[in-house]
Amino acid sequence: MVRVLIAEEMPMIRGALAALLSLEPDMNIVAEVGRRDLVTSAAMASSPHVAILNTDGIEIAPELRRKTPDIQLLVLSATAQPRLLRQALSAQVSGFILKEEPPAQLAEAVRRVAAGERIINPKLALKALDADETPLTARELEVLRLFARGFEPADIAGSLSLQVGTVRNYLTSIVTKLSARNRVDAIRIASRVGWL
């Protein structure tokens, strides 16, 4: 019997995943967690074989690995972004599949990950191999580095001989390209994958 923990902040999605996997005769949902900060303690308490995480869960993967070394981590992603796959692989997750895949593939991925295999969506793996290391231009990286050091757009403009509006446009482009929530999130994403 494969013991599964589901970590997903959206209650409807979390419930749907639990209901779907509960139909599998060889799976037992041992924990459902809606908050990222509770995943590790839930994993320690329920001893799952596999933890299903969304892409936000990649951040806690190293802690989960450290505190529950026998757990296998499977990431479900809503988007096919090579950056997310690279982050997941750096965090030593066991699997990375897309939420758009058929339900049967999720169950099969859980089984294979529990058996010690590594599962990666093949299309995404090829896309990641073909992708540049960073989607940001050299100038965008320069702007982001200065912003990360605490420079305001006006300071960055003066330092790089740009207009303030141009710097703001670069920052907006960076946030968009990295699918970040805001500028601070863009710094976090770029730092985590080593672009800064």
Side-chain angles (χ1 to χ4, degrees):
M1 186 71 69
V2 179
R3 296 169 57 84
V4 180
L5 176 150
I6 299 172
E8 167 63 56
E9 69 267 1
M10 303 293 283
M12 188 178 293
I13 295 173
R14 187 172 65 248
L17 289 171
L20 175 71
L21 293 177
S22 293
L23 296 174
E24 299 296 323
D26 59 340
M27 293 186 195
N28 181 23
I29 308 303
V30 296
E32 295 180 46
V33 184
R35 288 186 20 211
R36 186 173 46 186
D37 60 323
L38 299 177
V39 174
T40 301
S41 59
M44 293 171 68
S46 62
S47 302
H49 298 118
V50 177
I52 298 175
L53 311 170
N54 63 20
T55 50
D56 287 342
I58 294 171
E59 291 180 6
I60 61 166
E63 178 186 359
L64 270 170
R65 283 273 183 223
R66 191 172 55 256
K67 294 188 176 178
T68 56
D70 294 331
I71 198 171
Q72 301 300 322
L73 307 177
L74 175 62
V75 173
L76 292 182
S77 178
T79 59
Q81 293 183 7
R83 167 186 63 79
L84 294 173
L85 175 58
R86 285 194 296 269
Q87 289 173 0
L89 294 176
S90 294
Q92 299 181 330
V93 304
S94 307
F96 192 102
I97 63 173
L98 299 174
K99 289 180 179 178
E100 67 188 32
E101 295 186 25
Q105 287 189 3
L106 171 62
E108 185 58 24
V110 170
R111 287 185 190 96
R112 291 176 63 188
V113 165
E117 293 183 47
R118 202 160 202 195
I119 305 298
I120 298 169
N121 174 284
K123 290 179 189 173
L124 184 55
L126 289 173
K127 195 173 176 182
L129 288 172
D130 292 340
D132 291 334
E133 183 63 24
T134 175
L136 304 180
T137 66
R139 180 62 95 177
E140 287 169 339
L141 281 171
E142 200 172 18
V143 168
L144 188 59
R145 282 188 190 105
L146 290 172
F147 189 74
R149 290 175 41 202
F151 285 72
E152 291 297 325
D155 301 323
I156 296 169
S159 177
L160 299 178
S161 301
L162 298 171
Q163 298 294 320
V164 175
T166 303
V167 170
R168 287 194 179 109
N169 288 341
Y170 277 129
L171 290 168
T172 299
S173 175
I174 291 164
V175 168
T176 302
K177 284 182 178 181
L178 298 183
S179 298
R181 292 183 294 269
N182 53 42
R183 294 171 181 177
V184 173
D185 192 41
I187 292 169
R188 180 190 57 78
I189 290 166
S191 296
R192 188 171 35 180
V193 293
W195 297 335
L196 294 181

